[in-house]
């Protein structure tokens, strides 16, 4: 085998390895991965809207316990609840999410509303929220960013995926930053312990 060709192949393998390590390192140091965006059909939506093994749902306490690294599906603007300005997570409206320190959560946020844009952001600041909304980076305290996702249309649902590592204990919040939505109740609490 040609020695140059072998050298080239080995170089590519090393470069890919370095890239993987670097991107993992970025998630570990910043706690957050960039969102990726796409669309789901109804059966794909149903298949992701399930409870991961590391997750325990307590309906009585309106609380979701995340004990190990898990995927959390977040439905934005469900039509069958008392307010369209809400999140529904594993069947609970605006639940408190209790996360063990150091756990990595992959949030999959899906817009299930048929007439409004929504997003899902993590923040160190809680209510009261401004009626002006906060835009993507307008306010302080945001730990993540996400574009506004368009409403569901003809059985096609926009989603965004991102991972977050909860490095430090304390109280945090999730909210929709679309103007007026968090003020109208589209938020919930995250407790890292
Ligand atoms: Cu919203």
């Amino acid at each position: 085998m040609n020695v140059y060709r072998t050298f080239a192949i080995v170089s590519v393998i090393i470069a890919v390895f370095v890239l993987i390590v670097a991107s993992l390192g970025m998630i570990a140091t910043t706690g957050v991965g960039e969102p990726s965006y796409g669309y789901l059909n109804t059966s794909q939506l149903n298949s992701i809207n399930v409870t991961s093994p590391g997750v325990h749902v307590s309906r009585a306490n309106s609380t979701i316990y995340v004990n190990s690294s898990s995927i959390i599906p977040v439905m934005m603007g469900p039509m069958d609840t008392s307010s369209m300005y809400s999140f529904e997570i594993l069947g609970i409206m605006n639940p408190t999410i209790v996360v063990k320190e150091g756990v990595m959560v992959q949030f999959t946020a899906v817009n299930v509303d048929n007439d409004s844009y929504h997003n899902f952001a993590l923040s160190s600041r809680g209510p009261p929220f401004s009626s002006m909304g906060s835009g993507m980076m307008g306010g302080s305290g945001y730990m993540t960013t996400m574009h506004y996702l368009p409403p569901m249309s003809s059985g096609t649902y926009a989603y965004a995926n991102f991972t977050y590592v909860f490095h430090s204990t304390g109280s945090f919040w999730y909210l929709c930053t679309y103007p007026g939505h968090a003020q109208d109740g589209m938020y919930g609490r995250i407790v890292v312990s």
Side-chain angles (χ1 to χ4, degrees), residues 11-166:
S11 302
V12 167
I13 290 169
I14 290 171
V16 168
F17 181 75
V18 166
L19 271 177
I20 290 169
V21 169
S23 53
L24 288 176
M26 220 162 75
I27 290 171
T29 49
T30 63
V32 62
E34 279 299 299
S36 61
Y37 299 91
Y39 290 91
L40 303 172
N41 62 33
T42 305
S43 72
Q44 289 169 325
L45 173 62
N46 291 336
S47 71
I48 64 124
N49 197 11
V50 294
T51 306
S52 293
V55 174
H56 174 72
V57 178
S58 170
R59 254 161 243 294
N61 300 326
S62 288
T63 301
I64 288 168
Y65 298 91
V66 185
N67 301 316
S68 59
S69 293
S70 302
I71 300 171
I72 302 289
V74 176
M75 303 298 116
M76 306 188 291
M79 303 304 293
D80 56 352
T81 55
S82 52
S83 169
M84 61 184 273
Y85 300 119
S86 63
F87 295 103
E88 188 182 308
I89 305 178
L90 299 171
I92 304 178
M93 200 170 139
N94 296 339
T96 295
I97 303 175
V98 176
V99 186
K100 278 218 168 75
E101 187 184 4
V103 160
M104 178 190 276
V105 177
Q106 181 194 309
F107 292 101
T108 301
V110 186
N111 192 345
V112 297
D113 199 336
N114 65 13
D115 62 0
S116 183
Y117 279 72
H118 296 289
N119 73 358
F120 176 81
L122 304 182
S123 175
S124 59
R125 282 182 49 196
F129 297 109
S130 152
S131 64
M132 294 297 292
S134 344
M136 291 302 294
M137 292 297 286
S140 61
Y142 289 107
M143 297 141 66
T144 62
T145 60
M146 181 187 292
H147 300 310
Y148 298 131
L149 302 187
M152 176 272 272
S153 170
S154 322
T156 301
Y157 301 83
Y159 77 88
N161 257 331
F162 70 93
T163 53
Y164 193 88
V165 181
F166 290 92

